[in-house]
Amino acid sequence: MTTTADTAASAETIEAQTARAMTKPKQGRIKCVVWDLDHTLWDGILLEDADVALRAGVVDQIHRLDGLGVLHSIASRNDPEMALAKLREFGLQDMFLHPQIGWGAKSESVSHIAKALNLGLDAFAFVDDQEFELAEVGHALPEVLCVDVADLGAQLARPEFHPRFVTDESAKRRQMYLAQATRDDIEREFAGTNEEFLSSLDMTFVIAPARTEDLQRAEELTIRTNQLNSTGRTYSYDELDALRESPDHLLLVASLEDKFGTYGKVGLTLVEKGGDGVWKLLMLLMSCRVMSRGVGSVLLNHVMGLAHAAGCELHADFVETGRNRMMQITYAFAGFSEISREGSLAVLKADMARLQPPAPYVKLVIVDEDGTEHVTGPGAAERG
């Protein structure tokens, strides 16, 4: 008999699915476009003519992509003070995150932006008018998609620039990153321990069963998340919907907020509840934006607790993708150890003796299928 899980899962092995997902062009894979300024964002050379004029078509594209959740930054050989002043004059400064304006190699600028945003280089496009600059970035950073501004319209029509869905998180992504920059500035100046800093954020972490309205964001998470994805596999909306309805599976979505605002839906986990006393964690992922917040371990410990309460072992699939070492470390710290391996697919087993209580620095809200909330941690009484 064909089960819901059978219809949702491909006949391919997880290893083959992961390899296929990593090699084919990904729709919407570009998460940030890095722009040159002279003869790209504006006509003319700023150092030669202070009255440069914006290229209207380029600015329109920047705003359009921003609405789709694509971030923007700058890599320009220019005088920083003059260039930033001109961007303020045009009302565009807040459109660009971590702009790099100076006299160094543009590949170094793109690398710096990638590190600041905590995104992989394959999530970047670089736009310039100079063949030399495009070649320099393309040679130093082959993962980056290089675009000649003369061919901008055709290049931006590529599927890499167009996510399948535009979610609430997509439309607010730049604002979320700006809020994160504020958090980072405060963290750099914070004199206490890391746990004291996390406690000062007044974080609330909500774990709930996935609903239909969560599935677009859930698919987006599987496509966009690389560093904190346990298998690297992507799931379509239809696959996730079938798994959500399956009595043999548990699909959970996690969201996070703090005193600076919401991070949106940042986590996803998929569990297969086997009838042989073994639950299998098929997927665990967290948005890279919350890597330093410790909530990946909170989500993992919650799943461990559910399996333990059901009297089951918990096994987890892990495929090393070259990008997800942090997820491997998360499993190791939670007490998972490898029990089998086939190619790059490792099966890990949880040590239930290592099950940890909820983190003291975050209010944890667990939502049941019927919508009932169970709250633990700081401020639980106010929400409960």
Side-chain angles (χ1 to χ4, degrees):
M1 181 177 67
T2 302
T3 67
T4 306
D6 293 329
T7 60
S10 166
E12 295 176 290
T13 65
I14 291 177
E15 185 177 5
Q17 291 166 349
T18 301
R20 177 171 54 82
M22 293 174 64
T23 55
K24 72 176 183 179
K26 289 185 180 178
Q27 181 174 359
R29 76 172 174 88
I30 299 300
K31 304 174 188 176
C32 182
V33 181
V34 180
W35 300 84
D36 176 42
L37 293 177
D38 293 335
H39 292 306
T40 301
L41 181 65
W42 52 58
D43 288 318
I45 298 174
L46 183 62
L47 289 175
E48 297 177 359
D49 180 6
D51 293 326
V52 293
L54 285 174
R55 303 180 69 174
V58 172
V59 175
D60 289 344
Q61 291 284 14
I62 288 172
H63 284 292
R64 181 183 67 81
L65 291 170
D66 179 68
L68 298 178
V70 178
L71 306 173
H72 299 280
S73 190
I74 290 170
S76 172
R77 294 180 189 275
N78 238 305
D79 178 88
E81 290 186 9
M82 287 184 65
L84 290 173
K86 184 57 67 173
L87 289 170
R88 284 194 294 271
E89 178 186 325
F90 287 139
L92 290 174
Q93 186 177 18
D94 286 346
M95 295 298 298
F96 301 102
L97 305 176
H98 305 286
Q100 301 299 298
I101 303 172
W103 306 107
K106 292 191 178 180
S107 60
E108 294 178 1
S109 295
V110 175
S111 294
H112 182 91
I113 295 163
K115 183 176 181 180
L117 293 176
N118 196 25
L119 296 174
L121 287 166
D122 61 347
F124 281 80
F126 170 66
V127 183
D128 204 295
D129 65 300
Q130 295 291 317
E131 184 177 344
F132 170 81
E133 303 290 6
L134 293 167
E136 189 273 328
V137 171
H139 175 75
L141 308 173
E143 308 98 318
V144 174
L145 176 61
C146 293
V147 175
D148 190 324
V149 71
D151 193 32
L152 185 64
Q155 290 295 310
L156 294 186
R158 295 172 56 151
E160 289 94 329
F161 291 91
H162 296 272
R164 184 179 174 198
F165 300 116
V166 179
T167 64
D168 290 342
E169 282 80 2
S170 301
K172 299 174 185 174
R173 186 161 287 123
R174 176 169 53 89
Q175 288 82 357
M176 289 180 179
Y177 270 89
L178 288 171
Q180 185 57 45
T182 301
R183 296 181 184 100
D184 292 342
D185 289 342
I186 293 173
E187 185 173 10
R188 278 190 290 270
E189 297 173 3
F190 193 82
T193 65
N194 182 60
E195 187 164 305
E196 288 171 339
F197 171 71
L198 293 176
S199 296
S200 76
L201 293 176
D202 298 330
M203 292 189 292
T204 298
F205 190 56
V206 180
I207 304 174
R211 301 165 300 172
T212 302
E213 54 265 39
D214 297 324
L215 296 182
Q216 291 185 0
R217 173 57 177 164
E219 180 188 280
E220 183 183 47
L221 275 169
T222 74
I223 293 171
R224 293 178 62 91
T225 305
N226 295 301
Q227 297 179 61
L228 293 178
N229 187 329
S230 59
T231 64
R233 186 187 167 188
T234 63
Y235 288 81
S236 71
Y237 180 102
D238 291 337
E239 286 178 311
L240 291 168
D241 196 28
L243 291 163
R244 183 183 67 86
E245 296 282 359
S246 167
D248 300 323
H249 291 82
L250 180 65
L251 183 65
L252 300 175
V253 175
S255 58
L256 180 67
E257 63 180 43
D258 65 17
K259 65 183 181 182
F260 295 101
T262 182
Y263 297 77
K265 298 180 182 70
V266 295
L268 188 68
T269 187
L270 173 63
V271 178
E272 182 179 53
K273 298 185 287 186
D276 55 355
V278 175
W279 283 17
K280 178 168 279 192
L281 188 50
L282 301 177
M283 174 185 59
L284 176 71
L285 62 84
M286 296 294 297
S287 169
C288 300
R289 291 185 290 110
V290 298
M291 180 182 291
S292 63
R293 297 297 177 253
V295 290
S297 296
V298 176
L299 179 58
L300 182 54
N301 269 280
H302 174 65
V303 176
M304 291 173 65
L306 292 177
H308 183 66
C312 295
E313 295 182 0
L314 181 63
H315 297 177
D317 287 336
F318 179 79
V319 178
E320 187 172 349
T321 65
R323 298 280 303 281
N324 62 352
R325 179 162 173 74
M326 283 300 301
M327 187 57 74
Q328 188 175 27
I329 292 171
T330 299
Y331 275 127
F333 272 111
F336 283 73
S337 57
E338 186 174 318
I339 57 173
S340 67
R341 176 177 288 272
E342 183 177 344
S344 62
L345 170 62
V347 177
L348 314 176
K349 180 181 177 181
D351 179 359
M352 292 302 184
R354 299 276 294 275
L355 187 61
Q356 299 294 314
Y361 50 78
V362 60
K363 181 193 299 182
L364 178 61
V365 181
I366 306 300
V367 182
D368 291 341
E369 289 284 354
D370 62 3
T372 303
E373 294 186 355
H374 305 274
V375 187
T376 59
E382 295 127 2
R383 180 148 182 157

